[in-house]
């Protein structure tokens, strides 16, 4: 019996020596430390069976490579995939369904024929890309004609010259005709658009961070998109939502978008039947910009310390409730925007009258469109912003007053309405105490100076 098993064992040993991989077997690849060039990633992929695991130890691996069967590639710390200079191809192309990439550092040059090539191109469905460190002079991750992928916890950073124009940069994560994907927990820096979606529906863009780019998140011609709990800083615009229907934009924080005279925290153009709730836009040139958009709900957003809090242009039938405008130079501007329902918002600069103690003012708050209309026709007049003459002219302007946008029941205090959440901290109490101390110091100074003179 033992003699009969000897030929079988010899066959197994011969197969292993020849590099034939058994199904579902883990493949361990180690590049030759003494080799003149990195190991070819494509050869290692080709040797990995369908459903197998290719584990890449620390070292350098050469692209480009194409994945044509469902496998898992897992990079250990120090595993780097470098694309050939000027190859004109992505470093990694995923054509098969159900492929996973994890833990790789991927370097994609943007020279010559590779200037429009991504580090990773996904054409299959059901892919999982996570914990990738992508350094690129071109695109980061592209999804084309695909769906049901997860792009999670990756880093995409541009490695080219920081002085490059935005138009010369490419997008970090770019989707076209790609539906039902999850883009979550990624960090993108110094790209053109951080996360870009076009003609791609029902995607979830959650908990990502984008900085030093043009648009942090850019949605065009999408339906059912969810943009939730993202952070954007130092971009031209935090999120550009354009040609979109039935979107949810909630819980995001877009601060210090001031890289351009046209910078906005949140920009909505041709957006309809969407919900914009619980966002914070702070320290931007314009907090919320809404143009040619209708039938949207804006609720419980914090609009703080922007040059202009909210701008409405040619937008109708939007509902605006429970929002707070604090510390903005200009709280609101509205032009050619009728039939918008403003109610129950807090406007810091407004002095209302609450005769029945219900927390809302019996006096309405009207958004005067004079300055916006004047500077729209002659931009140079912005130099006279808040000058005594401009304020006088604004107070005299009453043309078509009945058509102006107004909050019919503004709140007397932030956080007193049913749709509003309380402000954190004790900023109001601190200001009061500081004012009382300053008054006490002034009285003491006057008293002692007066006594000495007598």
């Amino acid at each position: 019996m033992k003699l009969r098993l000897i030929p079988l064992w010899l066959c197994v040993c011969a197969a292993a020596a020849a590099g034939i991989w058994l199904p579902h077997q883990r493949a361990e690849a180690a590049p030759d430390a003494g080799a003149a060039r990195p190991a070819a990633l494509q050869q290692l992929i080709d040797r990995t069976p369908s459903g197998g695991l290719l584990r890449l130890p620390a070292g350098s691996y050469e692209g480009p490579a194409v994945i044509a069967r469902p496998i898992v590639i897992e990079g250990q710390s120090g595993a780097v995939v470098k694309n050939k200079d000027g190859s004109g191809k992505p470093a990694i192309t995923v054509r098969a369904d159900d492929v996973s990439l994890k833990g790789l550092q991927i370097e994609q040059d943007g020279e010559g024929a590779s200037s429009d090539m991504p580090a990773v191109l996904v054409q299959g469905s059901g892919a999982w890309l996570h914990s990738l460190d992508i350094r690129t002079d071109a695109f980061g991750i592209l999804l084309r004609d695909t769906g049901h992928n997860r792009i999670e916890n990756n880093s995409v950073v541009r490695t080219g010259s920081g002085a490059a124009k935005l138009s010369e940069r490419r997008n970090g994560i770019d989707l076209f005709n790609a539906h039902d994907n999850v883009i979550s927990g990624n960090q993108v820096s110094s790209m053109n658009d951080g996360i870009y979606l076009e003609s791609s529906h029902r995607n979830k863009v959650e908990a990502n961070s984008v900085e030093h780019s043009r648009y942090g998140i850019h949605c065009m011609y999408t339906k059912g998109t969810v943009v939730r709990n993202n952070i954007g800083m130092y971009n031209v615009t935090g999120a550009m939502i354009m040609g979109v229907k039935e979107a949810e934009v909630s819980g995001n924080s877009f601060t210090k978008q001031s890289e351009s005279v046209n910078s906005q925290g949140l920009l909505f153009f041709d957006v309809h039947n969407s919900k914009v709730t619980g966002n914070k836009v702070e320290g931007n040139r314009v907090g919320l910009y809404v143009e040619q958009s209708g039938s949207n709900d804006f609720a419980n957003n914090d609009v703080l310390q922007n040059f202009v809090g909210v701008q409405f242009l040619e937008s109708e039938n939007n509902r605006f409730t429970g929002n707070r405008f604090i510390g903005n130079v200009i709280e609101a501007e509205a032009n050619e925007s009728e039939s918008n329902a403003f109610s129950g918002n807090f406007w810091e600069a407004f002095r209302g009258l609450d005769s029945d103690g219900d927390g809302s003012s019996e006096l309405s708050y009207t958004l005067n469109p004079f300055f916006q209309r004047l500077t729209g026709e002659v931009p140079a007049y912005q130099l006279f912003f808040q000058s005594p003459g401009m304020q006088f002219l604004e107070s005299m302007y009453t043309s078509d007053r009945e058509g102006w946008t107004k909050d019919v029941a503004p709140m007397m205090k932030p956080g007193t309405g049913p749709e509003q959440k309380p402000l954190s901290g004790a900023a109001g109490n601190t200001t009061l105490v500081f004012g009382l101390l300053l008054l006490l110091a002034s009285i003491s100074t006057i008293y002692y100076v007066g006594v000495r003179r007598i």
Side-chain angles (χ1 to χ4, degrees), residues 121-152:
L121 171 61
V122 178
Q123 296 173 320
S125 297
W128 186 23
L129 276 57
H130 60 116
S131 304
L132 302 178
D133 180 5
I134 296 176
R135 306 177 186 186
T136 177
D137 288 345
F139 287 93
I141 300 172
L142 261 61
L143 276 66
R144 292 292 184 267
D145 304 315
T146 179
H148 301 282
N149 302 287
R150 290 184 294 161
I151 312 299
E152 298 176 330

Side-chain angles (χ1 to χ4, degrees), residues 65-368:
V66 176
I67 303 174
R69 61 174 67 94
I71 63 173
V72 176
I73 300 180
E74 181 179 306
Q76 297 180 347
S77 179
V80 181
V81 177
K82 297 183 178 181
N83 207 6
K84 291 180 180 179
D85 294 340
S87 69
K89 297 179 180 180
I92 298 177
T93 299
V94 178
R95 290 182 181 167
D97 296 342
D98 303 319
V99 170
S100 293
L101 300 178
K102 176 184 177 181
L104 295 170
Q105 179 179 315
I106 304 174
E107 299 180 1
Q108 172 75 11
D109 74 89
E111 300 296 327
S114 299
S115 60
D116 283 329
M117 290 294 107
V120 180
L121 171 61
V122 178
Q123 296 173 320
S125 297
W128 186 23
L129 276 57
H130 60 116
S131 304
L132 302 178
D133 180 5
I134 296 176
R135 306 177 186 186
T136 177
D137 288 345
F139 287 93
I141 300 172
L142 261 61
L143 276 66
R144 292 292 184 267
D145 304 315
T146 179
H148 301 282
N149 302 287
R150 290 184 294 161
I151 312 299
E152 298 176 330
N153 301 320
N154 304 290
S155 172
V156 182
V157 179
R158 186 177 185 276
T159 57
S161 171
K165 298 179 181 179
L166 290 173
S167 59
E168 297 174 352
R169 305 179 188 182
R170 299 296 181 261
N171 300 332
I173 301 173
D174 187 304
L175 282 68
F176 182 82
N177 193 32
H179 315 297
D180 303 296
N181 303 285
V182 175
I183 314 297
S184 176
N186 302 284
Q187 296 183 341
V188 184
S189 179
S190 303
M191 305 299 290
N192 183 42
D193 291 349
I195 301 172
Y196 178 81
L197 298 83
E198 182 177 350
S199 301
S200 300
H201 308 307
R202 301 176 305 279
N203 291 291
K204 292 183 179 180
V205 182
E206 300 178 312
N208 302 283
S209 175
V210 183
E211 62 180 23
H212 298 292
S213 300
R214 185 183 68 154
Y215 299 149
I217 299 170
H218 190 179
C219 301
M220 292 187 66
Y221 317 123
T222 70
K223 184 176 181 180
T225 301
V226 175
V227 180
R228 181 189 296 147
N229 296 336
N230 300 282
I231 296 174
M233 296 181 65
Y234 304 110
N235 305 295
V236 172
T237 295
M240 163 69 157
I241 313 297
M242 177 179 176
V244 170
K245 296 179 180 179
E246 301 174 13
E248 175 194 329
V249 182
S250 63
N252 303 284
S253 175
F254 296 112
T255 62
K256 301 179 182 178
Q257 269 43 238
S258 56
E259 299 297 305
S260 166
V261 295
N262 297 314
S263 289
Q264 301 95 357
L266 278 166
L267 187 155
F268 300 90
F269 183 88
D270 189 25
V271 176
H272 302 275
N273 302 310
S274 298
K275 296 184 181 298
V276 184
T277 61
N279 301 285
K280 181 176 77 170
V281 286
E282 181 177 6
N284 310 290
R285 187 185 180 280
V286 179
L288 300 174
Y289 181 88
V290 184
E291 183 175 353
Q292 297 183 26
S293 300
S295 302
N296 303 296
D297 288 317
F298 293 81
N300 201 26
N301 299 287
D302 288 337
V303 185
L304 314 173
Q305 300 178 4
N306 305 281
F307 181 72
V308 179
V310 58
Q311 279 187 335
F312 269 80
L313 180 63
E314 300 177 3
S315 297
E316 298 182 349
N317 301 318
N318 297 286
R319 293 165 295 279
F320 217 86
T321 60
N323 304 284
R324 294 179 295 186
F325 295 83
I326 299 173
N328 303 288
V329 179
I330 302 175
E331 289 192 324
E333 297 178 341
N335 191 17
E336 300 181 32
S337 298
E338 300 180 2
S339 304
N340 293 298
F342 277 69
S343 180
N345 304 286
F346 175 74
W347 310 87
E348 184 187 39
F350 176 67
R351 297 295 176 263
L353 176 63
D354 180 14
S355 60
D356 56 9
D358 66 351
S360 62
S361 172
E362 280 71 57
L363 301 177
S364 62
Y365 177 68
T366 303
L367 281 60
N368 193 326

